[in-house]
Amino acid sequence: MSKISKETVEHVAGLANLKFSPIELKKYTEKFASVLHYVEKLDKLDTKGVEPTSHAIANVSMTLREDKAVDFKTADDILKDAPAKEGRLIEVPKVIEES
Amino acid sequence: MGIREIHNRLIKGETTSVALTKEHLNKAKTSKLNTFITVCEERALVQAEAADKRIKEGNALPLTGIPLGVKDLLTVRGVKTTCGSKILENYIAPYSATVVEKLETAGAVILGKLNMDEFAMGSSNEHSAFGPVKNPIDETRIPGGSSGGSAAAAAAGECIATLGTDTGGSIRQPAAMCGVVGLKPTYGRVSRYGLTAFASSLDQIGPLAANVEDAAIMLETISGHDPKDATSVNRPVPDYTVALKKDVKGLKIGVPKEYFIKGLSEEIGSSVKSAIEELKKMGAEVKEISLPHTDHALACYYIIAPAECSANLARFDGVRYGRRAKDVKDIKELYERSRAEGFGPEVTLRIMVGTYVLSSGYYDAYYRKAQCARTLITKDFTEAFQRVDVIMTPTTPTTAFKLGEKTDDPLQMYLSDIFTIPVNLAGLPAMSMPCGKDKLGLPIGMQIIGRHFDEETILRVGYNYEAGGGRQEAR
């Protein structure tokens, strides 16, 4: 059984762009460990030679549409939901470090 | 009263959609069950007026003028779509889900958006940012989840029928807990365009209603290929309401021994077995079958679903829509704080599990392994369906538990979906319907599972059982 440390949880939180307080970190470490412990019961299942499921329904091919530009009318409504805007651009805090 | 009866009253002019809508809006607004997150009063009345005009002109369809509710995971243009989460508490959808458009084209009235577990993750509707929903049969108990609002509103008569979504049982389990019919279609039968994705290979939208025929009418209206959903399947939609009425003589019902185990309430087990006996008396053949990988389904699901959810919920980052944290110093803090402030504990837990099982070094051991287990679980069903036409099981291991009873124990909560989860993994259609009550008067649901795209047979079994006097009126 994998040992789940607070460091593991912090690492995963970093990957998932989540941040925990020390109390939350402890609580999530416990719950996280108990879920992982449960799902590890799959370890005992013999899956040698079994193909993983790649499509929810077998033998259904995805059809692609024609590569043609289509009129898109919802841009204004979408922009209404943006938390911060400048004209038709969505504003975010600094992304690039100044060297 | 079912959809067909109400439709006939509307056609005859014995009532109007406006009158019906006002009556149901009132129920929605005064509900003690916390079923609605948003009530669309003005919008619904406009729809009702248009429906009445259409009825007078003789152009009414079965759903024209009928007041319905939709789970708040489905977008309705111009209306708040919160997904039960703080992170979207003020998000106004810029487009409507295909299923909503189909209902509205048929002339239905959308009363509002129904409460749910946040991002469809939960089995009790206690994980909503907008408060828990209560079970109409006993308000100290949960309605089930994640489509708790959809089930409770249908059971309490606040909506004639509702739409919910089902990834691991979220239509069927609350339907069982509230005593209504709930159907999850085959994966790909109904378009997911406008459904906020939780687990893209498992999610489906489906109806909850007071009786089987109503579920069939709803299913027929929302089904069909949609070019905007690349996973929706291009297959004609059968006339589900016609298919209902054939009998069940010679139909083969499989009863899997792995579902009648320790941990299943004795009352539920015997109630489901009685229902199967009823169908046997109507001419069906009953066979014991085995689905040997049943015991691995929950573990398999709790790797795959969180993995897919961690990818799908990455879009909620405070940038383009939804809650954005204030006074942040850089982009990373924007992401971290917007998400930490916006997501509830169950969603956070599942994102964590999902991120871990997909991360470098663990992908093969967990995610790939789980998808292999999924192949074996699906194969169990494929082999069983060579011998039987439908599979019948209990829907849940217990009846509705008390609010607060399992909230802090994720694993205990997850166990309430053990009978519904394998169905999603295999992409099969399944319906839960009432088959009795326990000694406290709490509803018991039985699950009817069909072959891929064979919703007709499921509905037929359910309809025959209901017609044979086995039906429990929700209201």
Side-chain angles (χ1 to χ4, degrees), chain B residues 54-229:
Chain B
R54 190 166 160 177
I55 291 163
K56 279 211 180 74
E57 288 165 359
N59 293 327
L61 291 171
L63 285 176
T64 305
I66 304 286
L68 305 174
V70 303
K71 185 174 184 178
D72 207 12
L73 197 58
L74 297 164
T75 55
V76 175
R77 181 163 188 195
V79 178
K80 249 192 329 182
T81 295
T82 68
C83 306
S85 181
K86 269 199 295 207
I87 213 167
L88 290 176
E89 65 188 336
N90 293 309
Y91 173 73
I92 308 280
Y95 69 106
S96 284
T98 296
V99 293
V100 169
E101 286 190 340
K102 283 179 183 262
L103 290 177
E104 292 184 334
T105 302
V109 174
I110 307 295
L111 294 169
K113 311 302 291 305
L114 294 163
N115 202 348
M116 51 179 285
D117 279 301
E118 189 181 359
F119 289 110
M121 298 179 213
S123 309
S124 65
N125 217 133
E126 292 173 295
H127 289 297
S128 166
F130 302 93
V133 173
K134 300 179 184 155
N135 192 315
I137 318 296
D138 176 343
E139 291 176 23
T140 66
R141 293 178 186 267
I142 53 96
S146 60
S147 310
S150 305
E158 293 167 1
C159 303
I160 303 298
T162 61
L163 285 186
T165 72
D166 191 311
T167 304
S170 291
I171 287 174
R172 294 161 286 152
Q173 186 256 30
M177 301 266 182
C178 290
V180 293
V181 173
L183 190 149
K184 181 199 89 69
T186 311
Y187 184 85
R189 176 77 281 183
V190 175
S191 169
R192 292 183 300 112
Y193 182 76
L195 167 60
T196 306
F198 155 21
S200 307
S201 78
L202 301 168
D203 294 344
Q204 269 292 283
I205 301 165
L208 292 97
N211 62 66
V212 175
E213 186 178 24
D214 287 4
I217 294 170
M218 292 283 282
L219 180 66
E220 208 173 298
T221 310
I222 62 173
S223 295
H225 180 245
D226 181 10
K228 291 183 277 192
D229 173 4

Side-chain angles (χ1 to χ4, degrees), chain B residues 288-308:
Chain B
E288 191 187 73
I289 60 166
S290 175
L291 297 170
H293 295 93
T294 299
D295 195 41
H296 290 99
L298 196 69
C300 171
Y301 177 86
Y302 276 104
I303 292 171
I304 294 174
E308 294 186 11

Side-chain angles (χ1 to χ4, degrees), chain B residues 87-88 119 196 312-318 320-321 339 343:
Chain B
I87 213 167
L88 290 176
F119 289 110
T196 306
N312 281 322
L313 271 64
R315 72 193 68 192
F316 302 108
D317 56 11
R320 292 151 297 168
Y321 44 72
R339 289 160 68 78
F343 290 142

